[in-house]
Amino acid sequence: MNTLQAFLIAIIEGLTEYLPVSSTAHMVFLSSYFGIQEDDFVKLFQVSIQFGAILAVVALYWKKFFDFSKVSFYLKLVCAVIPALVLGKLFDDKIEAILGNPIPIAIVLILGGVVLLFIDNYFQNPTVLKEEDISIKKAVTIGFWQCLAMMPGTSRSAASIIGGMQQGLSRHAAAEFSFFLAVPTMMAVTCYSVFLKTYESSQMKGYELILKSDQNIQLFLIGNVVAFVVAVIAIKFFIEIIKKYGFKPWGWYRIIVGVFLLIYFSYIK
C-alpha cells in the first residue's frame, strides 16, 4: 500500500464511517480495485484510521463530551457499548474471516439498503427527541442493535440508528446518539487492534506493525488526519440530508453499490 492508496482509503473511511452505507464494504472494494495485498498492516490500517473519525465526533460535539456535570450521558454510553465489547471479542476471528470474502458483504449491503427504503415509513411517531430523554434501558437496547454491524456490510451507523428509531428516537436524535456511541465503540476496537491483538501472519502487535518502518508510521498518521477532516464534513452533511430526505437516499445508494460490487466480484474480478 502506497501513500496515495492510503490517502484514498482514509477518505473513504471518513466519508462512510458515520453514514449508513458500510465503510467496510467501501474499503474492501477500494483495496481490491487497487490490488492491495491483504497483509497484517493493511488490516490494521483499515481499523486504526477509525481513530481519526472518532476525534471528528469529539471535536464537533465537544461541549457534550466535556460536560462532566452530566454523568448520565457517560453512563448511557458505557452501558450501550458493553454488548459490542463482549460479542466483538467472542466473534473477532469469524468477522475477520468474512472480510476476506466480499460476496456476502455485497449481499448484506443490498439487504440493508432495502431496509432503509422503508425505515422512515415504519417509525413515524418518535417520542424521544433529544439525548437527555434516552433511558439507560433504551441505550442498552440500541447497543445490542449496534452488534448487528459485526456482520461486515451491515454498517454500524445504520444498525444503531435503526435501533434508536425502534426505541422511539427521532431520526435526528437516533443519528446523533449513533455518533456518540461510535466514540467508545470505535475507541475500544482501535485500542484492541493496536495494543492487544497479535496478528496471525507476522505474530506482531498492532503498534509493532506501525513502528516497523518509517513508511508505516507515515501512512498511519496520514490516514488518521485525512479520516478526521473528511469525517467532520461527512457528519454535517449527513445530518442535513436526514433532516430533509430521511434514509431513503441512502437505501438506494446501498442497493446500487451492493449490486455493482456483487457483479464486480462475481464476474469481473
Side-chain angles (χ1 to χ4, degrees):
M1 180 171 61
N2 58 40
T3 302
L4 177 59
Q5 291 168 341
F7 183 83
L8 293 175
I9 290 174
I11 289 177
I12 291 297
E13 163 62 24
L15 276 175
T16 60
E17 183 58 53
Y18 294 106
L19 307 183
V21 297
S22 177
S23 59
T24 299
H26 287 73
M27 286 194 289
V28 166
F29 169 70
L30 193 62
S31 297
S32 175
Y33 179 77
F34 283 137
I36 298 174
Q37 183 180 357
E38 274 281 303
D39 59 22
D40 286 342
F41 178 73
V42 171
K43 293 177 182 178
L44 169 65
F45 178 82
Q46 293 178 345
V47 175
S48 64
I49 58 175
Q50 291 178 343
F51 181 70
I54 294 168
L55 292 181
V57 176
V58 177
L60 286 172
Y61 295 94
W62 65 271
K63 290 183 179 179
K64 173 72 71 173
F65 279 95
F66 295 103
D67 184 358
F68 300 111
S69 65
K70 296 183 179 179
V71 179
S72 62
F73 172 70
Y74 304 105
L75 182 59
K76 291 171 192 175
L77 295 186
V78 170
C79 293
V81 79
I82 289 175
L85 297 183
V86 175
L87 296 178
K89 175 61 177 175
L90 291 175
F91 295 105
D92 178 58
D93 292 337
K94 293 181 174 61
I95 294 168
E96 190 167 301
I98 295 173
L99 286 173
N101 186 354
I103 299 299
I105 296 177
I107 293 172
V108 172
L109 196 63
I110 295 169
L111 294 176
V114 173
V115 172
L116 288 183
L117 291 181
F118 302 100
I119 200 71
D120 289 313
N121 296 331
Y122 195 73
F123 302 116
Q124 292 186 326
N125 299 302
T127 57
V128 179
L129 305 180
K130 52 186 179 179
E131 174 272 321
E132 289 78 4
D133 297 328
I134 301 173
S135 66
I136 296 293
K137 181 179 178 181
K138 288 183 184 296
V140 173
T141 302
I142 295 170
F144 275 105
W145 272 88
Q146 180 180 237
C147 293
L148 294 175
M150 290 178 185
M151 174 59 200
T154 302
S155 168
R156 188 210 61 80
S157 176
S160 53
I161 289 173
I162 291 172
M165 294 174 71
Q166 186 271 331
Q167 287 298 298
L169 276 66
S170 67
R171 291 188 310 217
H172 189 181
E176 284 201 338
F177 191 73
S178 172
F179 299 157
F180 301 151
L181 183 55
V183 174
T185 302
M186 292 160 60
M187 181 66 78
V189 172
T190 302
C191 288
Y192 171 73
S193 300
V194 172
F195 298 108
L196 299 177
K197 183 175 180 177
T198 300
Y199 289 80
E200 187 175 347
S201 299
S202 61
Q203 288 300 302
M204 298 173 70
K205 299 288 188 182
Y207 67 88
E208 293 175 322
L209 287 168
I210 295 171
L211 299 175
K212 185 178 179 180
S213 68
D214 290 341
Q215 182 186 23
N216 285 4
I217 295 173
Q218 183 183 43
L219 295 179
F220 175 78
L221 294 175
I222 290 173
N224 277 285
V225 171
V226 172
F228 168 79
V229 173
V230 177
V232 168
I233 299 170
I235 290 171
K236 292 182 176 181
F237 170 73
F238 178 48
I239 287 293
E240 291 304 314
I241 289 293
I242 63 168
K243 282 181 180 178
K244 293 181 180 179
Y245 306 108
F247 292 100
K248 188 170 290 187
W250 307 108
W252 283 117
Y253 176 84
R254 285 180 64 110
I255 292 171
I256 292 169
V257 173
V259 170
F260 173 79
L261 294 183
L262 201 56
I263 294 172
Y264 176 82
F265 286 111
S266 298
Y267 302 104
I268 301 175
K269 177 135 172 71

